[in-house]
Amino acid sequence: MIGLISTTGSLIQAIRGDRPWGWWEIGSVVMVPILLALGYVTVSSLITARPELIVDRTGLTMDKQYLAWNEMTAIKRTDGLRHLTPWAITVVPRDKPRRRSLGIPPYNISAPDMVADWLTSLLDQHRATESSTPSQDEPGS
């Protein structure tokens, strides 16, 4: 980028027709928009700091918050309550729902209804496998 800035004079001369176009000038014209676009994407990603939603076999992780499948009570679509919560989807835990609830912002997902339905089906699957698995306290296990 510094090289592009330092050759601005020769680029301007080539554009005005005072100097023939060289490889550096042609490369500068091509690379400046590409570098500006990459810079924009990088800066916007750093400013918004969008955390990742990680869904795995143990539970859900959003930024630094984690909830295991067996700690979840429900997965709620909260789009209608925008004035109360900034989340598109709220994962409600069994204990202390206000302190440990995991919220998924609307800018992390493109189809909140589909994601909420998918997470609810995963939660139901984990509940079904937990209930079908014999516990250690049962005789014969």
Side-chain angles (χ1 to χ4, degrees):
M1 189 67 162
I2 294 172
L4 294 176
I5 293 171
S6 67
T7 60
T8 304
S10 64
L11 183 60
I12 291 172
Q13 288 176 346
I15 291 172
R16 286 180 32 201
D18 297 340
R19 176 185 171 149
W21 283 86
W23 287 106
W24 184 256
E25 288 81 13
I26 294 171
S28 299
V29 170
V30 171
M31 290 304 294
V32 166
I34 293 171
L35 290 175
L36 288 175
L38 289 174
Y40 172 76
V41 169
T42 302
V43 170
S44 67
S45 295
L46 291 173
I47 289 173
T48 58
R50 295 180 181 170
E52 290 182 342
L53 171 65
I54 299 171
V55 181
D56 60 13
R57 62 180 177 81
T58 62
L60 298 176
T61 305
M62 183 67 172
D63 200 18
K64 293 179 182 174
Q65 292 180 313
Y66 170 77
L67 273 177
W69 290 110
N70 60 359
E71 296 175 341
M72 296 178 204
T73 301
I75 296 171
K76 295 183 179 180
R77 174 87 167 87
T78 54
D79 189 42
L81 306 172
R82 272 186 202 217
H83 61 283
L84 297 177
T85 179
W87 312 123
I89 298 172
T90 302
V91 180
V92 182
R94 293 179 195 256
D95 305 335
K96 302 177 186 174
R98 290 184 187 248
R99 285 186 75 190
R100 295 208 46 227
S101 64
L102 190 137
I104 303 170
Y107 55 76
N108 278 65
I109 48 179
S110 59
D113 290 330
M114 292 176 65
V115 173
D117 292 342
W118 176 63
L119 290 175
T120 302
S121 69
L122 287 177
L123 180 60
D124 292 342
Q125 288 175 8
H126 282 278
R127 285 181 181 159
T129 57
E130 284 178 5
S131 64
S132 67
T133 307
S135 66
Q136 298 295 332
D137 299 333
E138 293 180 10
S141 59

